[in-house]
Amino acid sequence: MKNNRNTVKRLCSVFYTFICIFSGTGFLKAHNPSGHILSANFKLTESAFCRKELVDPWFKADPESIKTKEPQVVQNETGDYFLVRQERENGELQIIVAPLVKQKVILKTNTHTGGFETAADTEMWVETWPKNVPGSWILYRDAITGKPLRIRCYFVHDKEVYIDFFPGKDKSSADFMMFGAAAAAKVPVPLSFEQLYLIPFAEVVYLTRHTLPWNYTQASLHSYDDIMQMTGMIRSLLPSVHKTFDKDKNGSIAFLKWIVDGLVRPLTGSVIAPESLSVNTVETGRGENKKLHGSATPPIPENFDSLNAVRNMAAAAISARTGIFYHYNNSGADVKTEAFSYYTDSSGTPRNAGFSANSGYPVEMLKPLLYVLAATEVQCFFLGAMREYIPTTDSTKNSALRPIFSDGAAFFTWFDKRGRLQAAVFERGAEYTLDEFIEKYRGSFVFLVRVKASMEFYPERIKRNADTEKTVDIGKSVQTGVR
């Protein structure tokens, strides 16, 4: 044990920079597979046994005395190792209890023999202690006074998903954070703050099972076959269809129709009638957009093309699948979930995260929203209509920004084998990462509709001839609700 402790300490010193580099990866399995099961997919390495011995020397010790403390290796009752260390940032002292994670590293070496240089790769495993992987536990304190500020626990493999606990008068409260958005804020926790120093995380989950949205992180690793099949098919066909949709004025809508037609055609023998996409789906004049800018209702957009299109496509898809007549307003396709209390925008300002009728959600909400949808609606992909502001001039020649639904995109989401969110975003025959897409439309809104994915997906492989293609009004033939 002593030799092992010395080895760990040396590695801690030598690879500290390495630790910082990899502290954001959070994708490796815990060193020991034992621990409290949080869900069917993750096993959390538990540090509660170790934390009982850390209260006085670390959690309550004077901040000045902690400055000189060497990192300390501790071991829980099942043999898992943790490294206790301190970091200081933005006037806060962090007491980090981080689990051991083994990271594979490839070392490149060059040897000189007989005037020749030979390159070789050596594989080795390095013991690291990331602070944002499942099982990590961090106490934040004021760096001057030592006052406890919050406890942060990581429990899934996406480092931007975590829970913060805050001290209260008698009990604690919790913020359930997902990619900068609060799925729950200031929720009472039936424990004092100091009780959280000692209690296993699984017990916290149990005590808050009815008040915190743990189901938002229960990734199902075996339900995404349809999503993966469709994503792979679309990717394989993008090189042949990209130019077709990229140069078209209405290319984004045409591209989404191409995707949905690939679901409708096998069921009906026909495609969605193009004229059905323009059926109006918007009721204006009732102040639906009041949420957008406080009490002032913004101008109603004059162009709802992409919003009408995605709603009608979703109605067509469900009608073709069920054989039951559905309109856009009774299809249940609109995504209206109120999953978040607030989100933090790029300036760090908390914003309303709720759904707005005929507008949808701020684009900055896409990542946490799709994370929740990927966990709770595992068999669906999503079509999005983008609501942007464009410069315009009114009859008095005054310049203004006019809201307009312009482009549309398709979002396919799933969790990989490590339980991390993956997303493919398709627009106009091109693929974007989710971060790229959010940056492209930052400041805009997105209205989402859900469509059930299917293995029976057969999109056209070549550019269609609009003059000769068979286009049947499936609203009349199989009662799809788009006529």
Side-chain angles (χ1 to χ4, degrees), residues 190-202:
L191 295 166
S192 69
F193 194 72
E194 290 196 2
Q195 282 179 305
L196 292 169
Y197 292 172
L198 308 176
I199 192 170
F201 188 71

Side-chain angles (χ1 to χ4, degrees), residues 325-338:
F325 187 93
Y326 283 100
H327 285 288
Y328 71 90
N329 57 356
N330 65 1
S331 67
D334 291 359
V335 174
K336 299 180 180 180
T337 179
E338 297 283 1

Side-chain angles (χ1 to χ4, degrees), residues 178 182-183 213 215-216 291 332-341 352-357 360-362 365-366 368-374 376-377 382 446-450:
M178 308 177 73
N215 61 305
Y216 288 177
K291 273 189 175 181
D334 291 359
V335 174
K336 299 180 180 180
T337 179
E338 297 283 1
F340 298 95
S341 301
N352 187 335
F355 171 82
S356 295
Y361 302 88
M365 280 293 300
L366 260 178
L369 181 61
L370 289 175
Y371 189 103
V372 170
L373 293 174
T376 59
E377 302 190 31
F382 303 89
V446 57
F447 192 104
L448 296 176
V449 296
R450 56 178 63 83

Side-chain angles (χ1 to χ4, degrees), residues 112-371:
H112 298 270
T113 304
F116 295 95
E117 183 175 318
T118 304
D121 294 340
T122 302
E123 180 179 298
M124 65 176 293
W125 289 87
V126 176
E127 295 181 344
T128 68
W129 314 87
K131 69 177 184 180
N132 47 22
V133 295
S136 293
W137 189 99
I138 306 174
L139 170 63
Y140 289 79
R141 303 173 61 190
D142 185 283
I144 304 299
T145 67
K147 178 183 178 181
L149 302 175
R150 65 188 180 279
I151 293 171
R152 178 166 297 178
C153 296
Y154 291 92
F155 55 96
V156 296
H157 288 273
D158 275 298
K159 65 178 182 177
E160 294 181 77
V161 178
Y162 53 84
I163 187 167
D164 279 341
F165 298 97
F166 300 90
K169 184 177 180 180
D170 298 312
K171 304 298 181 182
S172 307
S173 63
D175 283 3
F176 200 106
M177 302 302 297
M178 308 177 73
F179 300 97
K186 300 298 180 284
V187 175
V189 177
L191 295 166
S192 69
F193 194 72
E194 290 196 2
Q195 282 179 305
L196 292 169
Y197 292 172
L198 308 176
I199 192 170
F201 188 71
E203 291 185 30
V204 179
V205 174
Y206 179 78
L207 291 172
T208 58
R209 64 194 183 282
H210 299 306
T211 56
L212 290 175
W214 299 106
N215 61 305
Y216 288 177
T217 60
Q218 301 299 293
S220 174
L221 303 184
H222 306 288
S223 301
Y224 300 97
D225 291 346
D226 294 347
I227 295 292
M228 300 301 297
Q229 171 80 3
M230 290 188 66
T231 301
M233 178 69 75
I234 293 170
R235 282 174 172 165
S236 69
L237 296 177
L238 288 184
S240 63
V241 303
H242 173 65
K243 291 184 179 179
T244 300
F245 299 111
D246 186 47
K247 295 181 179 180
D248 190 335
K249 179 181 178 181
N250 298 314
S252 66
I253 296 175
F255 176 67
L256 297 185
K257 181 179 181 297
W258 173 78
I259 292 175
V260 180
D261 280 345
L263 294 172
V264 170
R265 184 183 292 105
L267 299 172
T268 67
S270 59
V271 296
I272 303 172
E275 61 271 17
S276 69
L277 301 184
S278 59
V279 173
N280 183 51
T281 67
V282 179
E283 296 181 14
T284 61
R286 297 183 180 179
E288 298 93 335
N289 296 310
K290 189 174 181 180
K291 273 189 175 181
L292 291 180
H293 301 286
S295 60
T297 301
I300 298 298
E302 297 178 9
N303 186 325
F304 287 97
D305 286 355
S306 63
L307 177 58
N308 290 333
V310 298
R311 279 176 150 175
N312 287 319
M313 285 183 210
I318 189 173
S319 298
R321 180 168 54 84
T322 63
I324 301 173
F325 187 93
Y326 283 100
H327 285 288
Y328 71 90
N329 57 356
N330 65 1
S331 67
D334 291 359
V335 174
K336 299 180 180 180
T337 179
E338 297 283 1
F340 298 95
S341 301
Y342 67 87
Y343 77 99
T344 304
D345 66 15
S346 56
S347 67
T349 304
R351 299 288 187 185
N352 187 335
F355 171 82
S356 295
N358 296 334
S359 293
Y361 302 88
V363 167
E364 291 81 0
M365 280 293 300
L366 260 178
K367 185 173 286 188
L369 181 61
L370 289 175
Y371 189 103

Side-chain angles (χ1 to χ4, degrees), residues 385-413:
M386 309 310 301
R387 184 183 191 271
E388 300 181 87
Y389 286 86
I390 62 171
T392 186
T393 303
D394 61 20
S395 58
T396 62
K397 297 185 179 180
N398 291 323
S399 297
L401 292 176
R402 180 169 67 95
I404 182 174
F405 276 97
S406 53
D407 293 329
F411 303 90
F412 292 80
T413 56

